Amino acid sequence: SYCRNERGSFKLSYYNEYKSYLRNMSILEYNGAAIVAMKGKNCVAIAADTRLGIRFQTVSCNFQKIFPMGKKLFVGLPGLATDVQTFANELKFHANLYNLSENRELSPKTFLSMISNFLYQRRFGPYFIEPVVAGLDPKTDEPFIASTDLIGCPMVTDDFVVAGTCLEQLYGMCETLYKPDQSPDELFECISQALLNAQDRDAYSGWGGIVYIIEPNKITKRELKARMD
C-alpha cells in the first residue's frame, strides 16, 4: 500500500519504518559526534570531529566539542548540542571557582569527580552528554584519561576512551592502531588516523577534525581536513 502527501506517493512500509526509527532514536544521536582520547608517554591527546547536524542534515562544520578547563586539562562533550554548550559553561565556571577558592590548579581526577557529581545530581532530568576528560596532573604530569555516561558513572582507562555516535567505529580503529608509550608525534598520527577513518563510516559525524596534544611544557592544536560529503 502507498501513502500520498504534497511530495508524491511512497510505500507505507517505509513510512512506518521511519516512524519506528524516530521513536527508538536516542537523543544523544540527534546532533552527532566523534570524540576520542589517548594516552602516550608523558602526554595525552584528545580529538573530535567538527560537524553539527540535525540527524542527516549538516548545520555547521566548525562546532566546538573540546573545551579547555585548565592549563593541561581538556574535556570533550558529545551529545545534544544545547546541553554541550550549557554544561561547558557550567564546568568552566566551577573550574575557575575551584582555582580561586583552593588556590591551586584543578587536577584531572578531581575534575572527573566534579563532572560525576554534577551529572548525578541531574540524574532525573539529565544533560544528554557523555563527557571525555584528558589531561596531565599539575604536580606530577602523569597522563590521565577518563569518561562518564550521562548520569556520571566514571570510567578511567590506561589506553584510550571513545564517545559519540561514532563509538563502534572508533573502538575498532583504536584497537587496531593504538600502542602504549607513544611519543607525541606518534600519538598525533595514531589518534588522527583513528578519528578520520572512523568518522568516514558514520553519517552523523565528520566534516573535519581537531586534535589537542597535551605535553608537560606545551599544548599543540592541529586541525584535520576530512571528507566533506
Side-chain angles (χ1 to χ4, degrees):
S1 60
Y2 288 80
C3 282
R4 180 171 291 279
N5 63 9
E6 66 275 7
R7 297 185 180 179
S9 61
F10 54 90
K11 267 195 172 183
L12 185 59
S13 60
Y14 295 161
Y15 178 65
N16 289 333
E17 286 179 12
Y18 181 65
K19 285 205 303 182
S20 175
Y21 162 75
L22 291 182
R23 280 197 305 269
N24 297 326
M25 185 201 72
S26 167
I27 193 63
L28 289 165
E29 300 174 3
Y30 186 72
N31 298 117
I35 296 183
V36 53
M38 283 185 180
K39 263 188 185 182
K41 188 174 183 179
N42 301 322
C43 61
V44 292
I46 184 169
D49 72 316
T50 55
R51 178 183 183 269
L52 170 65
I54 299 175
R55 299 194 185 96
F56 294 112
Q57 177 185 1
T58 299
V59 177
S60 172
C61 298
N62 59 356
F63 185 70
Q64 185 180 7
K65 299 176 185 177
I66 298 177
F67 301 88
M69 293 291 154
K71 293 179 181 177
K72 304 173 190 175
L73 179 61
F74 288 79
V75 62
L77 298 175
L80 190 64
T82 50
D83 285 354
V84 166
Q85 294 176 325
T86 303
F87 194 65
N89 289 335
E90 187 175 335
L91 283 180
K92 189 62 178 174
F93 168 77
H94 285 283
N96 290 339
L97 192 63
Y98 178 92
N99 293 340
L100 287 171
S101 60
E102 299 292 329
N103 199 27
R104 57 194 169 98
E105 197 71 25
L106 183 63
S107 72
K109 290 181 181 179
T110 306
F111 185 60
L112 178 65
S113 298
M114 181 189 293
I115 290 176
S116 184
N117 287 333
F118 287 157
L119 292 177
Y120 193 70
Q121 286 173 4
R122 295 284 300 260
R123 63 190 178 279
F124 298 116
Y127 288 112
F128 294 108
I129 53 172
E130 295 178 329
V132 174
V133 177
L136 301 179
D137 188 275
K139 293 182 178 179
T140 64
D141 286 329
E142 179 187 357
F144 181 88
I145 57 172
S147 66
T148 80
D149 63 7
L150 79 168
I151 60 168
C153 178
M155 180 186 71
V156 181
T157 67
D158 291 323
D159 43 19
F160 57 83
V161 290
V162 298
T165 55
C166 200
L167 187 75
E168 294 177 0
Q169 295 89 338
L170 280 168
Y171 263 125
M173 289 306 305
C174 291
E175 290 282 3
T176 303
L177 298 177
Y178 179 79
K179 298 182 296 184
D181 295 329
Q182 295 180 98
S183 68
D185 290 338
E186 291 173 329
L187 191 63
F188 168 73
E189 186 68 24
C190 178
I191 200 170
S192 299
Q193 290 298 328
L195 179 71
L196 291 174
N197 285 282
Q199 68 188 20
D200 282 349
R201 290 159 177 82
D202 177 43
Y204 282 0
S205 60
W207 289 60
I210 189 163
V211 181
Y212 290 88
I213 308 294
I214 308 161
E215 302 174 64
N217 56 350
K218 65 177 180 178
I219 294 173
T220 306
K221 175 185 175 183
R222 292 176 178 170
E223 295 183 2
L224 306 175
K225 288 187 178 180
R227 288 178 56 166
M228 306 287 282
D229 58 1

